[in-house]
Amino acid sequence: MKQFVRLLVASTFLLFSFTFAQTQGVHLSWNDKDETSTKMAITWWGSKLNEGMVMYGTDDRLSHSQKAISHFSYKGKVNIYKATLTQLKPNTIYYYKCGSAEEGWSNVYRFRTAPATGSQDKFVVGVWGDTQDNEFNTHFEQTDTIVQQLQRYPIQFTIHMGDIVNAGPVAAKWEGFFRCAQPVNAIAPFMHVPGNHDVSNNAADSGFQKPFPVYYEFINLPGRAINYSFNYGNTHFVAVNSGQSEKDAAVATNFAYAKRSLEYRWLEDDLSKARKDKNIKWIILYLHHPLYSFGWSQVDGWHERLAPLLDKYKVDLCLAGHRHVYERHTAIRNDQMLPQKDDHIYQHPAGTVYITNGSAGGQPTGTGGSDMPSMVYTSKVKMYNFAIMMIEGNSIRYDVYDNHGVKIDYFKLIK
Ligand SMILES: [Fe+2]
């Protein structure tokens, strides 16, 4: 009888907790390019309109608080809360929870702020893309296996190369992704670019190449969140929106990144400043469509518009998704492949190293192609994959894993 009562109390407690655990989709991001060491943005949603709050501090007393701004998402039927913590100390661990007394609080999570710009200290980045909920991943069940793997590494933030969801206009898809990714996104800022599934692909639409309105409700990145950059330690990260697909690019006249367009001038200015910055050793650019890739994923429009800028400003590493394979190329400059002595080591390359690193959930679509001269590595079997990138001083170490944690490739980039 005693056991039955205990069980009943435990069940009631669990039910009570579940009923009030309405704070969902917690994710971190940086929404100010120069402030990764002193700011942190926190986004979540709940079912009731309350005064949302973040309680935070450098220990578990969480003695500071920051009110969130909130708005009701008509598509998502939830209240979305966004708060930005400011005046944080660089390279410091903070603890936080978010929510409200009325609706309930999230778990207590922790994050570390970036070191001061120019720091040569080691940091670790999770790299993923194409988490889209298509075949075999309709409930993000494959993405969940990647989320579990990412939690095994001491990542400071993740970069995501787009196609976050399969149907960008549908709020429930975004909610599904952010629920699935919360264990990683709540401890490591989620810094992504949109893919073709996340933006409007209708060339006749005034919002062509831009994310759907619901995207902006859930996202909290610098500016309007489709082209931005930020510094972390000695590295400048540049996020380029290459959303639309080749088919649409072929008929559109209003391309993003056409020469002399607003985006093109922004990117040139951004890369030029980063290259002159004494604190910046590495420039890593990430976008959805690969600029060099085997087969149908090679989108000539993007290659023609962007590759010359990467050449001119000596971008070190270019990471892409879209094609659901893992591919690695030699360093390339002016469309010329630069041979290397060791397949796994890029020693002072005079060009950009190009990687395609999809998919973290979307259905694997092929096995790459070995007959492209610049291809150093291409996966032999269909698989889900992600990467862990360690940057320390003059070297970048990039390890690629499948969703079971088996290492499938690695390389070092040394200056
Ligand atoms: Fe794509």
Side-chain angles (χ1 to χ4, degrees):
M1 183 65 185
K2 261 187 183 173
Q3 212 163 5
F4 173 75
V5 172
R6 265 196 222 119
L7 200 64
L8 189 68
V9 169
S11 311
T12 308
F13 176 76
L14 274 176
L15 184 66
F16 183 84
S17 305
F18 180 75
T19 306
F20 283 83
Q22 297 296 330
T23 299
Q24 297 183 53
V26 180
H27 58 278
L28 303 176
S29 58
W30 289 302
N31 56 10
D32 189 336
K33 65 176 279 186
D34 296 321
E35 305 288 351
T36 55
S37 58
T38 56
K39 288 186 180 175
M40 186 63 75
I42 301 167
T43 306
W44 72 96
W45 70 78
S47 57
K48 299 173 193 161
L49 188 57
N50 290 300
E51 278 220 325
M53 187 87 79
V54 177
M55 305 296 298
Y56 70 101
T58 51
D59 57 42
D60 58 8
R61 286 175 295 168
L62 310 181
S63 49
H64 294 74
S65 64
Q66 175 63 51
K67 276 187 186 172
I69 54 167
S70 64
H71 74 274
F72 182 70
S73 165
Y74 286 94
K75 280 206 154 189
K77 304 280 186 292
V78 292
N79 290 296
I80 298 173
Y81 298 87
K82 295 181 179 180
T84 303
L85 311 184
T86 60
Q87 297 182 311
L88 304 177
K89 293 177 196 158
N91 200 20
T92 300
I93 291 175
Y94 282 86
Y95 299 83
Y96 77 96
K97 64 179 180 180
C98 56
S100 65
E102 294 83 2
E103 192 155 34
W105 296 96
S106 69
N107 292 339
V108 174
Y109 294 106
R110 52 178 263 175
F111 64 81
R112 182 186 283 279
T113 51
T117 301
S119 163
Q120 302 299 317
D121 291 352
K122 175 179 162 182
F123 65 97
V124 182
V125 185
V127 181
W128 52 339
D130 303 88
T131 45
Q132 65 200 85
D133 47 320
N134 63 5
E135 205 172 0
F136 308 123
N137 193 39
T138 51
H139 296 93
F140 295 100
E141 53 270 49
Q142 303 297 341
T143 299
D144 184 58
T145 64
I146 301 284
V147 168
Q148 287 179 41
Q149 290 296 330
L150 282 168
Q151 289 175 78
R152 297 176 55 205
Y153 301 92
I155 51 177
Q156 267 88 48
F157 60 99
T158 70
I159 58 177
H160 187 300
M161 283 86 74
D163 280 357
I164 300 161
V165 297
N166 204 43
V170 181
K173 304 289 186 182
W174 292 97
E175 291 175 4
F177 169 75
F178 280 117
R179 269 194 213 101
C180 170
Q182 180 168 320
V184 166
N185 287 353
I187 58 173
F190 175 61
M191 305 301 284
H192 65 274
V193 287
N196 52 296
H197 284 265
D198 307 315
V199 305
S200 167
N201 285 278
N202 183 356
D205 180 358
S206 62
F208 176 54
Q209 302 179 356
K210 294 187 175 62
F212 301 97
V214 68
Y215 172 94
Y216 294 106
E217 294 190 322
F218 287 93
I219 298 302
N220 193 356
L221 288 177
R224 286 296 277 172
I226 49 176
N227 299 290
Y228 64 93
S229 63
F230 63 97
N231 293 332
Y232 192 105
N234 65 358
T235 305
H236 186 64
F237 290 87
V238 188
V240 163
N241 168 35
S242 69
Q244 100 283 13
S245 64
E246 182 175 24
K247 174 166 60 80
D248 306 291
V251 295
T253 53
N254 51 342
F255 291 134
Y257 284 100
K259 213 163 186 179
R260 288 185 289 281
S261 66
L262 213 57
E263 303 87 3
Y264 186 94
R265 283 181 283 144
W266 167 80
L267 181 58
E268 176 144 44
D269 184 54
D270 185 84
L271 293 174
S272 165
K273 282 181 182 153
R275 241 330 139 224
K276 288 178 196 153
D277 188 338
K278 297 277 184 289
N279 285 316
I280 298 302
K281 189 168 292 288
W282 301 102
I283 299 179
I284 297 176
L285 186 146
Y286 58 108
L287 77 175
H288 185 59
H289 286 99
L291 302 188
Y292 291 91
S293 180
F294 175 78
W296 55 264
S297 293
Q298 172 90 36
V299 178
D300 290 341
W302 288 114
H303 169 258
E304 287 155 17
R305 278 171 265 157
L306 292 171
L309 281 181
L310 275 70
D311 291 336
K312 184 174 177 184
Y313 296 101
K314 300 183 172 62
V315 169
D316 298 288
L317 184 58
C318 178
L319 304 172
H322 187 55
R323 185 158 165 76
H324 296 180
V325 296
Y326 169 69
E327 290 179 356
R328 176 160 65 85
H329 296 258
T330 60
I332 297 174
R333 190 161 187 204
N334 299 327
D335 285 336
Q336 301 298 310
M337 51 180 276
L338 305 169
Q340 56 200 82
K341 284 182 188 155
D342 184 325
D343 269 359
H344 290 282
I345 298 177
Y346 299 86
Q347 188 94 34
H348 307 290
T352 304
V353 176
Y354 288 89
I355 306 293
T356 304
N357 215 154
S359 131
Q363 185 189 11
T365 48
T367 53
S370 56
D371 57 350
M372 195 173 176
S374 63
M375 193 85 76
V376 180
Y377 181 94
T378 182
S379 39
K380 304 281 189 298
V381 293
K382 292 182 180 184
M383 65 181 161
Y384 302 100
N385 61 74
F386 69 100
I388 298 296
M389 177 165 64
M390 284 172 284
I391 300 177
E392 184 173 19
N394 290 341
S395 77
I396 295 178
R397 164 99 187 191
Y398 195 97
D399 292 311
V400 185
Y401 300 92
D402 71 10
N403 63 329
H404 304 294
V406 176
K407 190 182 287 191
I408 56 174
D409 185 36
Y410 73 92
F411 68 87
K412 267 188 173 182
L413 185 47
I414 297 165
K415 274 196 182 182

